[in-house]
Amino acid sequence: VEVTTTPPQSPEPGSEPLAARLQRHAGVYRDKSHAPELKNVLLLTAANSGYLEMLTNWECIAQRLGLDWMVIAIDSELQQHLGERSFSATGKEWQKAEGFFSKGGFQLIACNKIRSVAEVL
């Protein structure tokens, strides 16, 4: 995902504006001088609290590789757990597996991820 010069300006409660956090994490690597040609690329992943263990494993590998990333948090539990490294997904919040068992829930969750990425662009 490419970060534009005017990312969204919606602040998360109790933190710096989302736009500033997105810009700070842009560049793929923690060492921003490592690949300057990627300075406007933002590494994003999405998860909910039900996948916290898998996300934690992914984050351990990403840290070893020196990557910098942000997480689209599908639920508020994960967003609170991750703090500034995450932002809430656009659209309705789904609790744990609720979205997978409701009519059309999985499709709505998938669309919310796409909307969240579109807002970042």
Side-chain angles (χ1 to χ4, degrees):
V1 175
E2 250 327 289
V3 177
T4 64
T5 56
T6 56
Q9 297 296 320
S10 58
E12 293 292 331
S15 68
E16 69 182 309
L18 178 58
R21 292 186 296 135
L22 292 169
Q23 196 61 49
R24 187 165 30 86
H25 289 287
V28 179
Y29 295 99
R30 282 188 310 246
D31 176 0
K32 303 304 179 195
S33 66
H34 182 68
E37 68 276 11
L38 300 176
K39 70 178 180 179
N40 292 323
V41 176
L42 178 65
L43 178 57
L44 281 176
T45 190
N48 66 26
S49 57
Y51 286 90
L52 181 57
E53 188 175 317
M54 186 181 296
L55 176 63
T56 301
N57 185 56
W58 183 89
E59 287 181 319
C60 287
I61 294 167
Q63 284 176 352
R64 271 189 263 149
L65 294 172
L67 300 176
D68 195 356
W69 68 92
M70 285 194 74
V71 177
I72 300 170
I74 305 302
D75 58 38
S76 59
E77 183 180 338
L78 182 67
Q79 204 280 320
Q80 289 173 358
H81 178 78
L82 296 175
E84 73 86 28
R85 185 168 289 285
S86 67
F87 62 96
S88 297
T90 301
K92 180 180 178 186
E93 178 179 329
W94 298 89
Q95 298 300 320
K96 304 275 182 182
E98 173 191 19
F100 293 102
F101 298 111
S102 66
K103 184 176 180 172
F106 181 78
Q107 290 87 355
L108 287 173
I109 291 170
C111 289
N112 288 345
K113 291 179 200 176
I114 294 168
R115 286 184 192 105
S116 298
V117 171
E119 283 185 10
V120 169
L121 296 174

